[in-house]
Amino acid sequence: MTAATPGIRVLIVDDQPLVRRGLSLILSPDPAFEVVGEAEDGQQAVALAHRLRPDVVVMDIRMPVLDGVAATEELARTLPLCRVLALSTFDMDEYVVAALRAGAHGFLPKDVSPEDLAAAIRTVHTGEAVVAPRLLTRLISAYVRAPLGAPPPPAVTTGELTPREVEVWRLMATGLDNAGIARSMDISHSTVKNHITSLFGKLDVRDRAQAVIAAYESGLVTARAGGGDQAGGVTG
């Protein structure tokens, strides 16, 4: 970063002072970031975000007063350009799925390395999602189920999705990244990206995490008893 290029403005939110201080000490020496504030609960986070206008909010999930899920939902509604990166003590945490559904752009466990934290903030700042595909699939398959008799999304029932888009969606939901989808379908990486862009628009989802949640909610893929996933039926 140069003097003419300000760092990514980061707001740190956690109810534990030591965690907030540790995250700040990790980011502050790097000129790529500017830690603009710290908050101890979701209510304070929302107020500070409106006042300080951070680019990225590093948000703890479980907090008093207003938890990270509710705070994320409020920020997604009122400050859509502010990206939320959710943090949790546990990899398998149903609140993480709720945060992703609410609008978080990514998830990291609290024991993440400084290098991975910095990389995740940079990625989220660009508007991309940050969740390892396999971890995302494990999380969502564990905590998201299609309600009995729930109809598939309108884009599927009306045939708006092409067969290739449905297959990209299914493979994404089973945990493949773009390269894996390209290999599985024997198509180029750029073609996969084009299909995903079209898919997001037709499903009215913002990112990969919300697309995978939608796949489980619709029954496109279903969780096996052992925690894996498998392809489900699609109404076309």
Side-chain angles (χ1 to χ4, degrees):
M1 292 287 172
T2 67
T5 308
I8 298 170
R9 294 169 58 80
V10 180
L11 174 64
I12 297 171
V13 185
D14 197 288
D15 61 335
Q16 299 179 44
L18 284 177
V19 173
R20 295 198 304 272
R21 180 51 48 200
L23 293 173
S24 181
L25 288 173
I26 288 171
L27 298 174
S28 294
D30 190 331
F33 307 106
E34 179 188 358
V35 177
V36 295
E38 298 179 13
E40 62 184 18
D41 59 58
Q43 182 173 293
Q44 193 178 98
V46 171
L48 281 176
H50 277 270
R51 181 161 62 87
L52 301 173
R53 299 300 173 110
D55 300 308
V56 176
V57 178
V58 179
M59 179 87 75
D60 187 21
I61 294 294
R62 303 192 184 207
M63 295 181 293
V65 185
L66 188 70
D67 67 27
V69 175
T72 295
E73 186 172 23
E74 177 66 14
L75 289 175
R77 184 180 65 83
T78 60
L79 291 177
L81 295 181
C82 177
R83 317 293 185 182
V84 174
L85 179 61
L87 294 182
S88 175
T89 304
F90 306 103
D91 284 354
M92 296 299 288
D93 186 342
E94 62 186 306
Y95 287 89
V96 171
V97 175
L100 294 171
R101 188 185 276 118
H105 279 71
F107 155 71
L108 290 176
K110 283 190 178 180
D111 61 358
V112 65
S113 71
E115 295 78 14
D116 286 344
L117 173 64
I121 292 173
R122 287 187 177 94
T123 300
V124 165
H125 182 238
T126 69
E128 297 293 325
V130 176
V131 187
R134 287 293 177 184
L135 175 57
L136 176 65
T137 303
R138 286 196 354 254
L139 272 168
I140 294 173
S141 66
Y143 296 113
V144 178
R145 297 288 185 275
L148 290 176
V156 178
T157 57
T158 61
E160 188 177 342
L161 295 183
T162 68
R164 281 209 160 184
E165 287 169 349
V166 172
E167 181 63 7
V168 168
W169 189 22
R170 186 188 69 79
L171 292 172
M172 180 191 305
T174 60
L176 292 185
D177 59 13
N178 288 5
I181 294 171
R183 287 193 298 270
S184 179
M185 296 182 65
D186 194 23
I187 57 180
S188 71
H189 192 272
S190 61
T191 299
V192 171
K193 292 179 69 174
N194 289 338
H195 282 317
I196 289 175
T197 298
S198 176
L199 180 66
F200 286 179
K202 291 178 180 180
L203 292 175
D204 192 25
V205 298
R206 191 202 56 240
D207 57 29
R208 196 180 205 92
Q210 291 190 345
V212 175
I213 289 171
Y216 278 87
E217 288 178 333
S218 71
L220 176 71
V221 291
T222 55
R224 293 193 184 105
D229 45 65
Q230 59 185 8
V234 178
T235 302

